[in-house]
Amino acid sequence: MPTNMTLFSINAILIFSTDDRTRILTKYYSAPHAPLHAPPGSSYPGANPYPTVKDQKAFEKGLMDKTNKQTSDVILYDNRVVVFKMEGDVMLYVVGGADENEVLLFSVVLALRDSLNILLKTSTDKRTIIENYDLVALAIDEIVDDGIILETDPVIIASRVSKPPAQDMVNMKNIDLSEQGLLNVWEFGKQKLAERMRQGL
Protein backbone atom coordinates (compact mmCIF):
# COMPACT_ATOMS: atom_id res chain seq x y z
CA MET A 1 0.00 0.00 0.00
CA PRO A 2 1.54 3.41 -0.95
CA THR A 3 2.38 5.86 1.80
CA ASN A 4 0.33 9.00 2.16
CA MET A 5 2.56 11.51 0.33
CA THR A 6 1.60 15.17 0.50
CA LEU A 7 3.14 18.62 0.06
CA PHE A 8 1.19 19.87 3.07
CA SER A 9 3.69 20.62 5.85
CA ILE A 10 2.67 23.76 7.78
CA ASN A 11 -0.17 23.73 10.33
CA ALA A 12 0.18 27.36 11.43
CA ILE A 13 2.25 30.55 11.24
CA LEU A 14 1.93 32.73 14.32
CA ILE A 15 3.27 36.18 15.24
CA PHE A 16 2.93 37.26 18.89
CA SER A 17 3.97 40.24 20.93
CA THR A 18 6.34 39.27 23.73
CA ASP A 19 5.48 42.31 25.84
CA ASP A 20 1.78 41.74 26.42
CA ARG A 21 1.50 38.24 24.84
CA THR A 22 -1.11 39.33 22.31
CA ARG A 23 -1.56 37.77 18.92
CA ILE A 24 -0.57 40.07 16.10
CA LEU A 25 -1.15 37.75 13.16
CA THR A 26 -2.10 34.07 13.10
CA LYS A 27 -2.79 31.79 10.15
CA TYR A 28 -3.91 28.20 10.61
CA TYR A 29 -3.94 25.79 7.68
CA SER A 30 -5.77 22.59 6.84
CA ALA A 31 -4.78 20.21 4.09
CA PRO A 32 -6.73 21.13 0.96
CA HIS A 33 -8.02 17.57 0.51
CA ALA A 34 -8.71 14.87 3.07
CA PRO A 35 -7.27 11.42 2.30
CA LEU A 36 -9.65 9.09 0.47
CA HIS A 37 -9.79 6.59 3.35
CA ALA A 38 -10.52 9.21 6.04
CA PRO A 39 -14.13 9.24 7.26
CA PRO A 40 -15.82 12.67 7.28
CA GLY A 41 -15.22 14.67 10.45
CA SER A 42 -12.29 12.51 11.51
CA SER A 43 -8.82 13.63 12.45
CA TYR A 44 -6.37 12.88 9.64
CA PRO A 45 -2.69 14.00 9.45
CA GLY A 46 -3.38 17.31 7.65
CA ALA A 47 -6.54 18.26 9.53
CA ASN A 48 -6.50 21.53 11.43
CA PRO A 49 -6.11 20.44 15.07
CA TYR A 50 -7.41 23.81 16.32
CA PRO A 51 -10.59 24.54 14.34
CA THR A 52 -12.12 27.05 16.77
CA VAL A 53 -10.74 30.32 18.11
CA LYS A 54 -11.05 28.95 21.66
CA ASP A 55 -8.83 25.95 20.77
CA GLN A 56 -6.36 28.24 18.99
CA LYS A 57 -6.06 30.62 21.95
CA ALA A 58 -5.57 27.72 24.38
CA PHE A 59 -2.80 26.32 22.16
CA GLU A 60 -1.21 29.75 21.79
CA LYS A 61 -1.25 30.44 25.53
CA GLY A 62 0.41 27.11 26.29
CA LEU A 63 2.93 27.66 23.51
CA MET A 64 3.88 31.11 24.83
CA ASP A 65 4.28 29.67 28.34
CA LYS A 66 6.49 26.85 27.04
CA THR A 67 8.71 29.02 24.82
CA ASN A 68 8.97 31.99 27.16
CA LYS A 69 12.28 30.93 28.67
CA GLN A 70 13.51 28.47 26.03
CA THR A 71 17.02 28.74 24.66
CA SER A 72 16.49 26.40 21.70
CA ASP A 73 14.63 27.25 18.50
CA VAL A 74 12.81 23.93 18.06
CA ILE A 75 10.41 22.26 20.47
CA LEU A 76 7.80 19.51 20.44
CA TYR A 77 4.54 20.84 21.89
CA ASP A 78 1.07 19.28 21.78
CA ASN A 79 2.33 16.61 19.38
CA ARG A 80 3.49 19.35 16.95
CA VAL A 81 6.97 20.44 15.94
CA VAL A 82 7.27 24.17 16.60
CA VAL A 83 10.17 26.32 15.42
CA PHE A 84 10.39 29.91 16.53
CA LYS A 85 12.54 33.04 16.44
CA MET A 86 12.45 36.16 18.55
CA GLU A 87 12.83 39.37 16.58
CA GLY A 88 12.61 42.66 18.46
CA ASP A 89 9.52 42.45 20.65
CA VAL A 90 7.76 39.78 18.58
CA MET A 91 7.96 35.99 18.37
CA LEU A 92 7.63 34.27 15.01
CA TYR A 93 6.35 30.68 15.15
CA VAL A 94 5.98 28.02 12.47
CA VAL A 95 4.01 24.91 13.50
CA GLY A 96 4.17 21.59 11.66
CA GLY A 97 3.09 18.00 12.25
CA ALA A 98 4.99 15.71 14.62
CA ASP A 99 6.67 13.90 11.74
CA GLU A 100 7.64 17.07 9.86
CA ASN A 101 11.25 17.95 9.04
CA GLU A 102 12.57 20.53 11.53
CA VAL A 103 15.10 21.93 9.06
CA LEU A 104 12.34 22.61 6.53
CA LEU A 105 10.22 24.37 9.15
CA PHE A 106 13.24 26.34 10.35
CA SER A 107 13.93 27.52 6.79
CA VAL A 108 10.35 28.87 6.70
CA VAL A 109 10.74 30.83 9.94
CA LEU A 110 14.08 32.22 8.72
CA ALA A 111 12.50 33.19 5.38
CA LEU A 112 9.73 34.97 7.25
CA ARG A 113 12.16 36.81 9.52
CA ASP A 114 14.52 37.84 6.73
CA SER A 115 11.76 38.91 4.33
CA LEU A 116 10.18 41.03 7.10
CA ASN A 117 13.58 42.64 7.75
CA ILE A 118 13.85 43.52 4.04
CA LEU A 119 10.26 44.75 3.73
CA LEU A 120 10.04 46.72 6.97
CA LYS A 121 13.54 48.21 6.63
CA THR A 122 13.59 49.79 10.08
CA SER A 123 12.93 47.02 12.53
CA THR A 124 10.67 44.05 12.99
CA ASP A 125 8.67 45.08 16.03
CA LYS A 126 5.00 45.05 17.01
CA ARG A 127 4.26 48.62 15.96
CA THR A 128 5.94 48.29 12.55
CA ILE A 129 4.19 44.98 11.84
CA ILE A 130 0.79 46.45 12.69
CA GLU A 131 1.46 49.55 10.55
CA ASN A 132 2.51 47.33 7.62
CA TYR A 133 0.03 44.53 8.23
CA ASP A 134 -0.75 44.20 4.52
CA LEU A 135 2.89 43.59 3.59
CA VAL A 136 3.33 41.06 6.41
CA ALA A 137 0.20 39.14 5.40
CA LEU A 138 1.28 39.14 1.74
CA ALA A 139 4.77 37.92 2.70
CA ILE A 140 3.26 35.01 4.63
CA ASP A 141 1.02 34.21 1.67
CA GLU A 142 4.06 34.20 -0.63
CA ILE A 143 5.89 31.80 1.69
CA VAL A 144 3.03 29.38 2.47
CA ASP A 145 -0.23 28.71 0.66
CA ASP A 146 -2.73 26.30 2.24
CA GLY A 147 0.06 24.77 4.32
CA ILE A 148 2.29 24.14 1.29
CA ILE A 149 5.67 25.87 1.25
CA LEU A 150 6.06 27.91 -1.93
CA GLU A 151 9.21 29.99 -1.43
CA THR A 152 11.96 30.39 1.16
CA ASP A 153 14.23 32.96 -0.51
CA PRO A 154 13.61 36.25 1.36
CA VAL A 155 14.79 38.45 -1.53
CA ILE A 156 12.32 36.87 -3.94
CA ILE A 157 9.54 37.07 -1.35
CA ALA A 158 10.24 40.76 -0.68
CA SER A 159 10.39 41.56 -4.40
CA ARG A 160 7.00 39.93 -4.98
CA VAL A 161 5.41 41.76 -2.07
CA SER A 162 6.93 45.24 -2.15
CA LYS A 163 5.66 48.03 -4.32
CA PRO A 164 8.15 49.70 -6.69
CA PRO A 165 9.20 53.20 -5.63
CA ALA A 166 7.53 55.99 -7.59
CA GLN A 167 10.81 57.28 -9.08
CA ASP A 168 11.54 53.85 -10.62
CA MET A 169 8.22 53.58 -12.41
CA VAL A 170 8.16 54.34 -16.14
CA ASN A 171 6.38 57.54 -17.09
CA MET A 172 3.86 56.39 -19.70
CA LYS A 173 2.94 59.97 -20.73
CA ASN A 174 6.14 60.45 -22.74
CA ILE A 175 5.92 57.18 -24.71
CA ASP A 176 4.55 57.41 -28.25
CA LEU A 177 2.57 54.21 -28.92
CA SER A 178 1.29 55.27 -32.34
CA GLU A 179 2.31 53.41 -35.49
CA GLN A 180 4.94 56.06 -36.32
CA GLY A 181 6.33 55.89 -32.78
CA LEU A 182 6.71 52.11 -32.98
CA LEU A 183 8.41 52.42 -36.39
CA ASN A 184 10.84 54.96 -34.89
CA VAL A 185 11.69 52.54 -32.08
CA TRP A 186 12.22 49.74 -34.63
CA GLU A 187 14.58 51.90 -36.73
CA PHE A 188 16.48 53.02 -33.63
CA GLY A 189 16.92 49.39 -32.56
CA LYS A 190 18.15 48.36 -36.02
CA GLN A 191 20.71 51.19 -36.03
CA LYS A 192 22.05 50.27 -32.59
CA LEU A 193 22.28 46.58 -33.51
CA ALA A 194 24.14 47.43 -36.75
CA GLU A 195 26.59 49.65 -34.80
CA ARG A 196 27.27 46.89 -32.25
CA MET A 197 27.83 44.32 -34.98
CA ARG A 198 30.26 46.66 -36.82
CA GLN A 199 32.18 47.22 -33.57
CA GLY A 200 32.41 43.48 -32.99
CA LEU A 201 33.94 42.76 -36.45
Side-chain angles (χ1 to χ4, degrees), residues 126-156:
K126 180 181 176 181
R127 180 176 178 205
T128 311
I129 288 175
I130 291 173
E131 288 173 355
N132 297 288
Y133 195 85
D134 56 340
L135 292 177
V136 176
L138 285 172
I140 290 174
D141 288 342
E142 286 295 327
I143 297 170
V144 176
D145 184 34
D146 277 341
I148 299 170
I149 300 169
L150 300 177
E151 185 64 61
T152 58
D153 185 352
V155 176
I156 293 174

mmCIF file of all heavy atoms in Angstrom, residues 126-156:
data_model
loop_
_atom_site.group_PDB
_atom_site.id
_atom_site.type_symbol
_atom_site.label_atom_id
_atom_site.label_comp_id
_atom_site.label_asym_id
_atom_site.label_seq_id
_atom_site.Cartn_x
_atom_site.Cartn_y
_atom_site.Cartn_z
ATOM 1 N N LYS A 126 6.469 45.113 17.005
ATOM 2 C CA LYS A 126 5.004 45.050 17.007
ATOM 3 C C LYS A 126 4.384 46.235 16.268
ATOM 4 O O LYS A 126 3.516 46.054 15.411
ATOM 5 C CB LYS A 126 4.493 45.001 18.453
ATOM 6 C CG LYS A 126 2.983 44.941 18.556
ATOM 7 C CD LYS A 126 2.534 44.912 19.995
ATOM 8 C CE LYS A 126 1.019 44.939 20.082
ATOM 9 N NZ LYS A 126 0.547 44.941 21.459
ATOM 10 N N ARG A 127 4.842 47.418 16.558
ATOM 11 C CA ARG A 127 4.256 48.616 15.958
ATOM 12 C C ARG A 127 4.450 48.630 14.437
ATOM 13 O O ARG A 127 3.524 48.920 13.689
ATOM 14 C CB ARG A 127 4.883 49.857 16.580
ATOM 15 C CG ARG A 127 4.330 51.127 16.027
ATOM 16 C CD ARG A 127 4.891 52.333 16.714
ATOM 17 N NE ARG A 127 4.343 53.520 16.096
ATOM 18 C CZ ARG A 127 4.934 54.682 16.115
ATOM 19 N NH1 ARG A 127 6.076 54.833 16.750
ATOM 20 N NH2 ARG A 127 4.388 55.716 15.540
ATOM 21 N N THR A 128 5.657 48.291 13.989
ATOM 22 C CA THR A 128 5.938 48.288 12.551
ATOM 23 C C THR A 128 5.130 47.220 11.834
ATOM 24 O O THR A 128 4.636 47.442 10.727
ATOM 25 C CB THR A 128 7.442 48.062 12.312
ATOM 26 O OG1 THR A 128 8.186 48.944 13.133
ATOM 27 C CG2 THR A 128 7.808 48.308 10.874
ATOM 28 N N ILE A 129 4.985 46.057 12.456
ATOM 29 C CA ILE A 129 4.195 44.984 11.842
ATOM 30 C C ILE A 129 2.733 45.392 11.718
ATOM 31 O O ILE A 129 2.104 45.164 10.689
ATOM 32 C CB ILE A 129 4.349 43.673 12.639
ATOM 33 C CG1 ILE A 129 5.748 43.098 12.424
ATOM 34 C CG2 ILE A 129 3.288 42.659 12.236
ATOM 35 C CD1 ILE A 129 6.049 41.873 13.246
ATOM 36 N N ILE A 130 2.188 46.018 12.747
ATOM 37 C CA ILE A 130 0.786 46.449 12.693
ATOM 38 C C ILE A 130 0.596 47.546 11.646
ATOM 39 O O ILE A 130 -0.383 47.545 10.899
ATOM 40 C CB ILE A 130 0.309 46.900 14.089
ATOM 41 C CG1 ILE A 130 0.225 45.677 15.012
ATOM 42 C CG2 ILE A 130 -1.028 47.607 14.011
ATOM 43 C CD1 ILE A 130 -0.063 45.992 16.452
ATOM 44 N N GLU A 131 1.566 48.485 11.547
ATOM 45 C CA GLU A 131 1.459 49.551 10.553
ATOM 46 C C GLU A 131 1.582 49.021 9.127
ATOM 47 O O GLU A 131 1.036 49.607 8.198
ATOM 48 C CB GLU A 131 2.534 50.609 10.802
ATOM 49 C CG GLU A 131 2.266 51.454 12.030
ATOM 50 C CD GLU A 131 3.414 52.385 12.367
ATOM 51 O OE1 GLU A 131 4.473 52.317 11.707
ATOM 52 O OE2 GLU A 131 3.249 53.186 13.304
ATOM 53 N N ASN A 132 2.311 47.926 8.943
ATOM 54 C CA ASN A 132 2.513 47.334 7.616
ATOM 55 C C ASN A 132 1.882 45.945 7.549
ATOM 56 O O ASN A 132 2.451 45.020 6.972
ATOM 57 C CB ASN A 132 4.002 47.249 7.297
ATOM 58 C CG ASN A 132 4.642 48.601 7.229
ATOM 59 O OD1 ASN A 132 4.420 49.348 6.292
ATOM 60 N ND2 ASN A 132 5.425 48.933 8.245
ATOM 61 N N TYR A 133 0.710 45.820 8.138
ATOM 62 C CA TYR A 133 0.032 44.527 8.226
ATOM 63 C C TYR A 133 -0.193 43.899 6.859
ATOM 64 O O TYR A 133 -0.066 42.690 6.693
ATOM 65 C CB TYR A 133 -1.300 44.719 8.959
ATOM 66 C CG TYR A 133 -1.939 43.451 9.446
ATOM 67 C CD1 TYR A 133 -1.580 42.911 10.673
ATOM 68 C CD2 TYR A 133 -2.894 42.796 8.688
ATOM 69 C CE1 TYR A 133 -2.168 41.752 11.134
ATOM 70 C CE2 TYR A 133 -3.479 41.632 9.138
ATOM 71 C CZ TYR A 133 -3.112 41.113 10.370
ATOM 72 O OH TYR A 133 -3.683 39.950 10.813
ATOM 73 N N ASP A 134 -0.504 44.723 5.864
ATOM 74 C CA ASP A 134 -0.754 44.203 4.515
ATOM 75 C C ASP A 134 0.486 43.545 3.934
ATOM 76 O O ASP A 134 0.415 42.458 3.352
ATOM 77 C CB ASP A 134 -1.273 45.312 3.604
ATOM 78 C CG ASP A 134 -0.333 46.511 3.533
ATOM 79 O OD1 ASP A 134 0.512 46.677 4.442
ATOM 80 O OD2 ASP A 134 -0.446 47.300 2.568
ATOM 81 N N LEU A 135 1.651 44.173 4.103
ATOM 82 C CA LEU A 135 2.892 43.591 3.589
ATOM 83 C C LEU A 135 3.243 42.293 4.306
ATOM 84 O O LEU A 135 3.698 41.331 3.682
ATOM 85 C CB LEU A 135 4.048 44.588 3.725
ATOM 86 C CG LEU A 135 3.987 45.829 2.851
ATOM 87 C CD1 LEU A 135 5.168 46.746 3.159
ATOM 88 C CD2 LEU A 135 3.944 45.475 1.390
ATOM 89 N N VAL A 136 3.026 42.262 5.626
ATOM 90 C CA VAL A 136 3.330 41.062 6.407
ATOM 91 C C VAL A 136 2.421 39.909 5.970
ATOM 92 O O VAL A 136 2.882 38.775 5.771
ATOM 93 C CB VAL A 136 3.193 41.344 7.918
ATOM 94 C CG1 VAL A 136 3.404 40.084 8.731
ATOM 95 C CG2 VAL A 136 4.176 42.424 8.349
ATOM 96 N N ALA A 137 1.139 40.192 5.823
ATOM 97 C CA ALA A 137 0.200 39.142 5.395
ATOM 98 C C ALA A 137 0.527 38.644 3.989
ATOM 99 O O ALA A 137 0.482 37.438 3.726
ATOM 100 C CB ALA A 137 -1.238 39.675 5.452
ATOM 101 N N LEU A 138 0.901 39.552 3.093
ATOM 102 C CA LEU A 138 1.280 39.138 1.744
ATOM 103 C C LEU A 138 2.561 38.311 1.748
ATOM 104 O O LEU A 138 2.696 37.346 0.991
ATOM 105 C CB LEU A 138 1.455 40.360 0.840
ATOM 106 C CG LEU A 138 0.170 41.031 0.375
ATOM 107 C CD1 LEU A 138 0.474 42.340 -0.348
ATOM 108 C CD2 LEU A 138 -0.627 40.109 -0.525
ATOM 109 N N ALA A 139 3.519 38.684 2.609
ATOM 110 C CA ALA A 139 4.767 37.916 2.701
ATOM 111 C C ALA A 139 4.486 36.492 3.168
ATOM 112 O O ALA A 139 5.043 35.527 2.624
ATOM 113 C CB ALA A 139 5.744 38.605 3.647
ATOM 114 N N ILE A 140 3.614 36.349 4.151
ATOM 115 C CA ILE A 140 3.261 35.009 4.633
ATOM 116 C C ILE A 140 2.562 34.223 3.518
ATOM 117 O O ILE A 140 2.835 33.039 3.325
ATOM 118 C CB ILE A 140 2.394 35.100 5.902
ATOM 119 C CG1 ILE A 140 3.255 35.592 7.068
ATOM 120 C CG2 ILE A 140 1.759 33.756 6.244
ATOM 121 C CD1 ILE A 140 2.508 35.860 8.340
ATOM 122 N N ASP A 141 1.702 34.889 2.770
ATOM 123 C CA ASP A 141 1.017 34.209 1.668
ATOM 124 C C ASP A 141 1.978 33.814 0.554
ATOM 125 O O ASP A 141 1.738 32.835 -0.146
ATOM 126 C CB ASP A 141 -0.100 35.088 1.101
ATOM 127 C CG ASP A 141 -1.286 35.184 2.034
ATOM 128 O OD1 ASP A 141 -1.402 34.326 2.935
ATOM 129 O OD2 ASP A 141 -2.093 36.118 1.877
ATOM 130 N N GLU A 142 3.051 34.568 0.366
ATOM 131 C CA GLU A 142 4.060 34.203 -0.632
ATOM 132 C C GLU A 142 4.913 33.027 -0.165
ATOM 133 O O GLU A 142 5.408 32.256 -0.975
ATOM 134 C CB GLU A 142 4.970 35.386 -0.956
ATOM 135 C CG GLU A 142 4.329 36.443 -1.802
ATOM 136 C CD GLU A 142 3.975 35.970 -3.194
ATOM 137 O OE1 GLU A 142 4.686 35.127 -3.762
ATOM 138 O OE2 GLU A 142 2.949 36.449 -3.730
ATOM 139 N N ILE A 143 5.083 32.890 1.142
ATOM 140 C CA ILE A 143 5.892 31.796 1.688
ATOM 141 C C ILE A 143 5.080 30.507 1.729
ATOM 142 O O ILE A 143 5.552 29.453 1.298
ATOM 143 C CB ILE A 143 6.412 32.151 3.094
ATOM 144 C CG1 ILE A 143 7.335 33.360 3.024
ATOM 145 C CG2 ILE A 143 7.134 30.972 3.723
ATOM 146 C CD1 ILE A 143 7.710 33.942 4.375
ATOM 147 N N VAL A 144 3.863 30.574 2.266
ATOM 148 C CA VAL A 144 3.033 29.379 2.465
ATOM 149 C C VAL A 144 1.642 29.632 1.904
ATOM 150 O O VAL A 144 1.048 30.682 2.146
ATOM 151 C CB VAL A 144 2.935 29.030 3.975
ATOM 152 C CG1 VAL A 144 2.008 27.862 4.199
ATOM 153 C CG2 VAL A 144 4.300 28.748 4.550
ATOM 154 N N ASP A 145 1.141 28.644 1.173
ATOM 155 C CA ASP A 145 -0.231 28.710 0.664
ATOM 156 C C ASP A 145 -0.931 27.409 1.009
ATOM 157 O O ASP A 145 -0.501 26.339 0.570
ATOM 158 C CB ASP A 145 -0.219 28.928 -0.845
ATOM 159 C CG ASP A 145 -1.617 29.104 -1.409
ATOM 160 O OD1 ASP A 145 -2.467 29.679 -0.708
ATOM 161 O OD2 ASP A 145 -1.856 28.658 -2.544
ATOM 162 N N ASP A 146 -1.973 27.481 1.808
ATOM 163 C CA ASP A 146 -2.728 26.298 2.240
ATOM 164 C C ASP A 146 -1.831 25.254 2.882
ATOM 165 O O ASP A 146 -2.035 24.057 2.701
ATOM 166 C CB ASP A 146 -3.491 25.667 1.070
ATOM 167 C CG ASP A 146 -4.810 26.359 0.807
ATOM 168 O OD1 ASP A 146 -5.297 27.053 1.722
ATOM 169 O OD2 ASP A 146 -5.351 26.204 -0.297
ATOM 170 N N GLY A 147 -0.821 25.699 3.631
ATOM 171 C CA GLY A 147 0.060 24.774 4.322
ATOM 172 C C GLY A 147 1.163 24.199 3.459
ATOM 173 O O GLY A 147 1.956 23.382 3.917
ATOM 174 N N ILE A 148 1.254 24.619 2.213
ATOM 175 C CA ILE A 148 2.289 24.144 1.295
ATOM 176 C C ILE A 148 3.327 25.245 1.140
ATOM 177 O O ILE A 148 2.991 26.387 0.834
ATOM 178 C CB ILE A 148 1.679 23.780 -0.076
ATOM 179 C CG1 ILE A 148 0.648 22.666 0.103
ATOM 180 C CG2 ILE A 148 2.757 23.384 -1.067
ATOM 181 C CD1 ILE A 148 -0.186 22.393 -1.112
ATOM 182 N N ILE A 149 4.594 24.896 1.337
ATOM 183 C CA ILE A 149 5.675 25.872 1.250
ATOM 184 C C ILE A 149 5.921 26.190 -0.222
ATOM 185 O O ILE A 149 6.177 25.304 -1.031
ATOM 186 C CB ILE A 149 6.954 25.331 1.916
ATOM 187 C CG1 ILE A 149 6.681 25.041 3.391
ATOM 188 C CG2 ILE A 149 8.096 26.319 1.755
ATOM 189 C CD1 ILE A 149 7.771 24.275 4.073
ATOM 190 N N LEU A 150 5.854 27.478 -0.558
ATOM 191 C CA LEU A 150 6.057 27.911 -1.933
ATOM 192 C C LEU A 150 7.448 28.482 -2.163
ATOM 193 O O LEU A 150 8.058 28.228 -3.191
ATOM 194 C CB LEU A 150 5.019 28.975 -2.315
ATOM 195 C CG LEU A 150 3.556 28.567 -2.231
ATOM 196 C CD1 LEU A 150 2.667 29.753 -2.564
ATOM 197 C CD2 LEU A 150 3.276 27.420 -3.170
ATOM 198 N N GLU A 151 7.947 29.284 -1.234
ATOM 199 C CA GLU A 151 9.210 29.988 -1.432
ATOM 200 C C GLU A 151 9.886 30.231 -0.098
ATOM 201 O O GLU A 151 9.220 30.525 0.888
ATOM 202 C CB GLU A 151 8.938 31.330 -2.124
ATOM 203 C CG GLU A 151 10.159 32.118 -2.495
ATOM 204 C CD GLU A 151 11.020 31.425 -3.524
ATOM 205 O OE1 GLU A 151 10.545 31.172 -4.633
ATOM 206 O OE2 GLU A 151 12.178 31.105 -3.197
ATOM 207 N N THR A 152 11.220 30.097 -0.071
ATOM 208 C CA THR A 152 11.960 30.388 1.164
ATOM 209 C C THR A 152 13.090 31.380 0.941
ATOM 210 O O THR A 152 13.851 31.644 1.866
ATOM 211 C CB THR A 152 12.545 29.101 1.771
ATOM 212 O OG1 THR A 152 13.394 28.467 0.815
ATOM 213 C CG2 THR A 152 11.448 28.153 2.233
ATOM 214 N N ASP A 153 13.202 31.947 -0.249
ATOM 215 C CA ASP A 153 14.229 32.958 -0.512
ATOM 216 C C ASP A 153 13.663 34.328 -0.148
ATOM 217 O O ASP A 153 12.733 34.810 -0.798
ATOM 218 C CB ASP A 153 14.642 32.921 -1.978
ATOM 219 C CG ASP A 153 15.800 33.858 -2.279
ATOM 220 O OD1 ASP A 153 16.186 34.646 -1.384
ATOM 221 O OD2 ASP A 153 16.325 33.810 -3.402
ATOM 222 N N PRO A 154 14.208 34.988 0.895
ATOM 223 C CA PRO A 154 13.611 36.249 1.356
ATOM 224 C C PRO A 154 13.678 37.380 0.331
ATOM 225 O O PRO A 154 12.796 38.226 0.296
ATOM 226 C CB PRO A 154 14.411 36.591 2.616
ATOM 227 C CG PRO A 154 15.613 35.751 2.580
ATOM 228 C CD PRO A 154 15.325 34.567 1.743
ATOM 229 N N VAL A 155 14.692 37.393 -0.523
ATOM 230 C CA VAL A 155 14.794 38.448 -1.532
ATOM 231 C C VAL A 155 13.674 38.319 -2.560
ATOM 232 O O VAL A 155 13.043 39.315 -2.942
ATOM 233 C CB VAL A 155 16.187 38.402 -2.210
ATOM 234 C CG1 VAL A 155 16.279 39.416 -3.327
ATOM 235 C CG2 VAL A 155 17.285 38.634 -1.187
ATOM 236 N N ILE A 156 13.402 37.102 -2.981
ATOM 237 C CA ILE A 156 12.320 36.872 -3.941
ATOM 238 C C ILE A 156 10.969 37.196 -3.307
ATOM 239 O O ILE A 156 10.113 37.829 -3.927
ATOM 240 C CB ILE A 156 12.358 35.420 -4.456
ATOM 241 C CG1 ILE A 156 13.610 35.195 -5.296
ATOM 242 C CG2 ILE A 156 11.105 35.083 -5.257
ATOM 243 C CD1 ILE A 156 13.825 33.776 -5.731
#
